[in-house]
Amino acid sequence: MRSTAVRRAALAASTAALALLVTACGGGSGDDGKDEGGSSAAPETTAAAKALTAAELEKAALAQADVKSGKVTTKVPAADNIAQDKVTTDDEACAPLAYVQAGTFVGTPAATAKRSWVSEPKKPAEGASVEDSVLAALNIEKVVVTLSSYEDGGAEKAMKDLTTAAEKCAGGFAYTANGTETKVLSVATTGAPKGGDEGLAVTVTIAAEEGVKAPMKVVVVRKGATVAYFPAVNLASAASGKDFAFPAEIVDAQVAKLG
C-alpha cells in the first residue's frame, strides 16, 4: 500500500471538500430487487399527487429507529447542506446531476427535509499494516438524504430532467459547489431502485487527487409528489479509486416511510 494513498485517505477524512463530494453522482444500490434498465418509468396517473408540507416531510424523514446500522443525523452540517444556487456547471444540461451530487435538489420544491447517514467503521484485518488499518477505518459510506415535495407535476419533471442529464452527460462534465470544483469523468446509469413510482441510479467517476478515478453514487426515487435524493460517497474509495456498494437499506427504509 503506497503511503500516498494513506495521505489521500487522511485528507479525505479531514477536509470539507470531500464532504462536498457527497456531491458526486453515482448509483447502483445493487442488483437485488432492481430493474435491469437505468430508470423505472412513471406509471400513468389520473390525478396529480399532493405535495407534502415541511412538517409532513420532517415526520416522514429517516430516523435512527428506521435503520439497523450506522448513524442518522437530523441536523445536517453546513458542509452537506449546500444551497442550489451555490452549484454551477460548465454545461447547463448537466445541472440536475450536479445539484444532486452536491446534496441539494432539482427544480423548485414546495418543501424539503434533509438527513445524513454514516455507516459503521470497518475493522481492519488481524495483523493489518498501519496503512491498511487507516484505510479500513475510512471504509465508511456516507449518504445525504434530501426529501423534496413538489406541486404541479414538479416531481415528475425533476425525474425527467435527471434522466435526460444522465444520458447527455455520460461523457463527463465539471461543476462547482460552494467554490469547490469537481471534474466528472463519466456517468453510467445502473439498475434502477424499486419501491417508488419512479427510480434512477447512476455511478459517476470523479477525477480525484494524484490521478485517482473515484466512484461516487446517487440513487433517486419518486413517490407521488415527493422525490428522495440519495448521493453517497465512501471515504476510502475516494482515496483509492476502488468501488463500493451503495447502502440500499437506506433507500428501502426511507421510501417505506413515504408510504
Side-chain angles (χ1 to χ4, degrees):
M1 179 75 63
R2 294 184 305 163
S3 60
T4 52
V6 178
R7 288 198 297 270
R8 281 197 303 269
L11 179 64
S14 62
T15 61
L18 187 63
L20 295 180
L21 288 181
V22 153
T23 63
C25 211
S29 48
D31 295 330
D32 186 18
K34 307 296 179 288
D35 291 336
E36 291 299 321
S39 62
S40 56
E44 292 185 5
T45 57
T46 57
K50 178 180 177 294
L52 300 181
T53 65
E56 289 171 329
L57 283 181
E58 285 293 333
K59 184 177 181 180
L62 198 69
Q64 189 65 53
D66 301 322
V67 298
K68 296 180 179 180
S69 65
K71 181 179 180 180
V72 174
T73 300
T74 57
K75 293 184 179 180
V76 178
D80 296 328
N81 197 14
I82 300 173
Q84 189 190 72
D85 62 4
K86 298 298 182 183
V87 182
T88 59
T89 68
D90 66 348
D91 186 341
E92 189 61 28
C94 306
L97 275 176
Y99 295 149
V100 181
Q101 290 171 227
T104 185
F105 45 75
V106 178
T108 307
T112 62
K114 183 168 285 192
R115 300 288 188 268
S116 68
W117 173 87
V118 179
S119 67
E120 303 285 350
K122 277 72 171 178
K123 293 183 178 179
E126 185 176 352
S129 66
V130 173
E131 290 87 349
D132 286 342
S133 295
V134 170
L135 287 178
L138 294 174
N139 187 20
I140 59 176
E141 287 80 49
K142 179 179 181 180
V143 182
V144 174
V145 182
T146 300
L147 300 182
S148 298
S149 197
Y150 299 79
E151 296 177 344
D152 303 323
E156 290 86 345
K157 185 177 187 305
M159 293 298 300
K160 181 179 179 180
D161 290 347
L162 275 168
T163 300
T164 300
E167 295 172 351
K168 291 186 175 181
C169 304
F173 64 99
Y175 70 92
T176 300
N178 270 3
T180 299
E181 185 177 20
T182 298
K183 183 177 181 181
V184 175
L185 301 175
S186 64
V187 178
T189 304
T190 62
K194 292 184 177 180
D197 298 320
E198 289 184 89
L200 174 69
V202 290
T203 294
V204 172
T205 302
I206 303 295
E209 292 189 355
E210 300 185 22
V212 173
K213 297 178 180 180
M216 308 192 86
K217 310 196 176 209
V218 162
V219 168
V220 183
V221 178
R222 180 181 70 82
K223 189 81 170 182
T226 300
V227 179
Y229 302 99
F230 304 90
V233 63
N234 178 288
L235 302 185
S237 292
S240 67
K242 293 183 179 179
D243 196 18
F244 69 96
F246 186 95
E249 66 271 19
I250 302 306
V251 175
D252 295 340
Q254 179 58 86
V255 172
K257 292 193 71 174
L258 291 174

